[in-house]
């Protein structure tokens, strides 16, 4: 282990989750159906044939789970609100029981001394809205604005940090182009229309948050994966640039007032998807560029891009297998902490967001309890240490990074992978719902207690 190193202060250390992945209780408390409930029923959609009906049963066990966040020594908790729990049909009647649940959750955070960060949309759209065209329809923008209003009016006296949308690329492309996430569509023109409406919904929600929540901080969360050509060949270099356009610039450019990148507009138009741009109406780009208080960055790995190799159905950028398989997580993603540093520095220099949070970072490893019940997940500890170091380096390089959230608090429903990919600092036995803090979690608690990296592992 390297030399001890002080952590930045002040700094927000947290863990992140999302509603569909942990809550369960999908038919309780007046919750409406979400597109993920529907998608899980599609044969073959979820690797282990599972669904979110029970998940981590967090709806009933949230007090225990907040206690775990505290035990991990963290000071913040990022969670998401299930739109169908609050407005079961997406528009119309508000379900007070749903709001009550989130109120209890937020009060629980405050009782434990945790600063809550709430995400309004982490992919669980009310199915009723999908039935009316989903994000491909412009009507979703006002539906989201109204939902944001309902939620922030109720929780805004206690929740100050608000994320509008989690990972617009995943919503648009994984859900509507590759069809590997709900609603499972496969059409680029639709995907581009969705991307526009999602960004627009974000831009319309920001002033709602600001006006309903005194001292609020509002932002959006993007996923970053620095794209590098597999070789110096002109074709690979062009492919890496094209990937960067699809994955990063398509969102970051309009969010920061630059409009959609012209190279990509030309490319999508040439590919026959130009009809999508009819969705862009006068004033939309100004709305999308509404100033925010932070940019959230989710980072897992880098993308090494070959000219021929971004297969249609891939749910992540293709990375070239690294020689040492120990360097890959169970998702097949390369462990590459340097990419987090590079991403943060790049985004800071290029777009100058007011402040940054790493809103997700973590690794899937299946390590379970040993005979003594201990979860010795050294690989996750190493992953986290590398990425925490990258955060310290970024702060030292002048990046206004003010917080870091581990993905995830609990092993949970990892979307189309079902329960097979375990990202938690806390192991969950899904048969008994028993929670066990993993060694990586104990290590993190020690790091936070000592406020330095590089101490002896507990
Ligand atoms: C991110 C998602 C999160 C989780 C991690 C592994 O893209 O935001 O819900 O699935 O990946």
């Amino acid at each position: 282990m390297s030399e001890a190193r002080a952590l930045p202060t002040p700094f927000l250390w947290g863990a992140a989750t999302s509603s569909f992945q942990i809550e369960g209780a999908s038919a309780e408390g007046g919750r409406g159906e979400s597109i993920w409930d529907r998608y899980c029923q599609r044969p073959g959609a979820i690797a282990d044939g599972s669904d979110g009906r029970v998940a981590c049963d967090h709806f009933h066990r949230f007090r225990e789970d907040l206690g775990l966040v505290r035990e991990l020594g963290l000071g913040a908790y990022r969670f998401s609100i299930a739109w169908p729990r609050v407005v079961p049909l997406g528009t119309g009647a508000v379900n007070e029981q749903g709001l009550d649940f989130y109120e209890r959750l937020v009060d629980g955070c405050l009782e434990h001394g945790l600063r809550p960060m709430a995400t309004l949309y982490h992919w669980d759209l009310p199915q009723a809205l999908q039935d009316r065209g989903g994000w491909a329809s412009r009507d979703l923008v006002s539906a989201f604005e109204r939902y944001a209003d309902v939620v922030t009016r109720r929780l805004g006296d206690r929740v100050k940090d608000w994320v509008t949308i989690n990972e617009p690329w995943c919503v648009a492309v994984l859900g509507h182009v590759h069809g590997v996430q709900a609603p499972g569509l496969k059409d680029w023109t639709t995907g581009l229309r969705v991307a526009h409406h999602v960004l627009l919904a974000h831009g319309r929600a920001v002033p709602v948050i600001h006006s309903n929540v005194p001292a609020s901080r509002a932002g959006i969360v993007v996923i970053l994966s620095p794209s590098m050509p597999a070789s110096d060949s002109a074709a690979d270099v062009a492919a890496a640039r094209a990937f960067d356009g699809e994955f990063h610039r398509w969102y970051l450019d309009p969010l920061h007032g630059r409009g959609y990148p012209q190279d990509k507009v030309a490319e999508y138009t040439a590919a026959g998807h130009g009809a999508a741009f009819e969705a862009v109406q006068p004033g939309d780009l100004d709305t999308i560029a509404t100033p925010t208080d932070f940019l959230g960055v989710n980072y897992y790995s880098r993308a090494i891009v070959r000219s021929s190799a971004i297969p249609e159905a891939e749910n992540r950028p293709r990375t070239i297998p690294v020689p040492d398989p120990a360097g890959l997580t169970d998702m097949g993603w390369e462990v590459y902490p340097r990419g987090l540093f590079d991403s943060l520095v790049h985004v800071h220099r290029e777009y100058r967001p007011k402040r940054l949070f790493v809103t997700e970072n973590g690794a899937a490893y299946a390590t379970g309890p040993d005979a003594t019940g201990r979860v010795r997940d050294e690989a996750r500890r190493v992953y986290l240490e590398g990425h925490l170091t990258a955060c310290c380096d970024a702060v030292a390089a002048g990046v206004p990074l003010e917080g870091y959230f581990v993905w995830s608090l609990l092993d949970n429903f990892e979307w189309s992978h079902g329960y097979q990919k375990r990202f938690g600092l806390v192991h969950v036995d899904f048969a008994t719902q028993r929670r066990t803090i993993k060694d990586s979690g104990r290590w993190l608690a020690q790091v936070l207690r000592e406020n330095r990296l590089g101490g002896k592992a507990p």
Side-chain angles (χ1 to χ4, degrees):
M1 204 173 285
S2 53
E3 228 173 278
R5 163 156 202 197
L7 298 179
T9 43
F11 203 77
L12 211 52
W13 296 100
T17 62
S18 89
S19 46
F20 191 80
Q21 293 178 274
I22 64 168
E23 282 181 5
S26 56
E28 276 179 64
R31 178 184 176 281
E33 188 189 10
S34 84
I35 55 172
W36 271 94
D37 298 303
R38 185 70 65 91
Y39 185 70
C40 288
Q41 291 169 17
R42 196 191 268 197
I46 311 299
D48 58 4
S50 63
D51 56 47
R53 276 182 284 192
V54 177
C56 304
D57 196 29
H58 173 79
F59 184 77
H60 298 112
R61 296 168 195 263
F62 70 92
R63 286 182 207 285
E64 178 186 355
D65 294 339
L66 293 174
L68 290 164
V69 184
R70 198 56 233 167
E71 223 179 306
L72 290 164
L74 299 164
Y77 178 54
R78 174 178 176 232
F79 63 95
S80 82
I81 290 166
W83 187 345
R85 225 180 247 301
V86 173
V87 189
L89 299 178
T91 56
V94 171
N95 175 35
E96 293 297 327
Q97 290 182 73
L99 284 171
D100 291 346
F101 168 67
Y102 292 109
E103 198 158 55
R104 289 196 297 275
L105 180 66
V106 166
D107 288 344
C109 285
L110 300 179
E111 280 158 26
H112 282 91
L114 301 169
R115 183 176 175 98
M117 176 183 277
T119 303
L120 288 167
Y121 188 73
H122 200 128
W123 309 352
D124 40 1
L125 187 75
Q127 179 63 38
L129 290 181
Q130 189 62 42
D131 295 341
R132 283 150 53 192
W135 284 110
S137 156
R138 196 175 170 97
D139 292 347
L140 261 267
V141 177
S142 48
F144 183 75
E145 191 180 359
R146 190 269 184 151
Y147 157 65
D149 182 51
V150 167
V151 174
T152 53
R153 270 178 200 276
R154 178 68 89 90
L155 301 177
D157 56 339
R158 285 153 285 177
V159 180
K160 301 300 170 187
D161 293 343
W162 291 91
V163 171
T164 52
I165 305 277
N166 184 70
E167 298 181 350
W169 177 83
C170 294
V171 177
V173 178
L174 295 185
H176 298 82
V177 177
H178 299 326
V180 295
Q181 295 199 345
L185 304 180
K186 293 190 180 190
D187 179 54
W188 259 112
T189 306
T190 305
L192 291 169
R193 209 175 270 134
V194 165
H196 182 65
H197 293 148
V198 165
L199 289 173
L200 196 57
H202 152 79
R204 290 260 289 268
V206 169
V208 173
I209 297 167
H210 283 154
S211 80
N212 286 349
V213 185
S216 55
R217 303 193 293 188
I220 190 168
V221 163
V222 292
I223 179 159
L224 301 182
S225 186
S227 95
M228 304 177 185
S231 76
D232 296 342
S233 78
D236 283 353
V237 171
R241 168 98 186 136
F243 175 83
D244 176 57
E246 175 198 317
F247 202 75
H248 302 125
R249 289 181 289 121
W250 195 258
Y251 304 94
L252 290 170
D253 279 11
L255 285 167
H256 296 92
R258 301 182 184 181
Y260 289 110
Q262 286 308 311
D263 59 326
K264 297 302 289 183
V265 171
E267 184 189 315
Y268 291 135
T269 305
H273 315 312
F277 306 128
E278 289 158 19
V280 184
Q281 295 185 9
D284 284 3
L285 290 170
D286 290 337
T287 303
I288 292 171
T290 301
T292 56
D293 307 291
F294 65 86
L295 178 71
V297 169
N298 292 354
Y299 175 83
Y300 290 92
S301 190
R302 67 171 162 172
I304 301 178
V305 183
R306 273 196 204 290
S307 60
S308 57
I310 309 183
E312 272 293 299
E314 191 100 321
N315 97 350
R316 291 284 164 165
R318 161 144 304 193
T319 57
I320 295 191
V322 288
D324 173 8
L328 297 182
T329 70
D330 285 359
M331 299 296 278
W333 300 343
E334 180 191 2
V335 179
Y336 188 69
R338 165 92 209 193
L340 175 56
F341 172 82
D342 289 345
S343 296
L344 292 169
V345 169
H346 171 76
V347 163
H348 164 59
R349 293 204 177 133
E350 186 74 20
Y351 298 103
R352 301 272 161 190
K354 258 185 223 149
R355 57 174 72 74
L356 288 148
F357 294 112
V358 173
T359 34
E360 287 179 27
N361 174 244
Y365 293 108
T367 332
D370 65 13
T372 69
R374 196 167 145 189
V375 184
R376 298 171 190 267
D377 59 336
E378 172 64 8
R380 180 174 291 98
R381 191 197 66 73
V382 170
Y383 181 98
L384 293 176
E385 184 177 45
H387 290 80
L388 259 50
T389 303
C391 289
C392 294
D393 290 344
V395 171
V399 175
L401 177 68
E402 296 189 9
Y404 170 96
F405 292 77
V406 177
W407 184 270
S408 181
L409 174 63
L410 304 168
D411 291 341
N412 62 39
F413 176 79
E414 181 46 43
W415 309 114
S416 57
H417 302 279
Y419 294 94
Q420 293 170 342
K421 305 294 181 208
R422 293 176 173 270
F423 277 91
L425 291 170
V426 175
H427 180 270
V428 177
D429 177 335
F430 292 106
T432 62
Q433 291 296 343
R434 190 189 150 88
R435 275 84 161 132
T436 308
I437 295 184
K438 300 178 187 178
D439 279 7
S440 59
R442 301 204 175 286
W443 168 83
L444 182 64
Q446 177 181 312
V447 166
L448 297 177
R449 217 169 26 243
E450 297 176 347
N451 209 36
R452 72 190 167 108
L453 270 171
K456 229 167 116 281

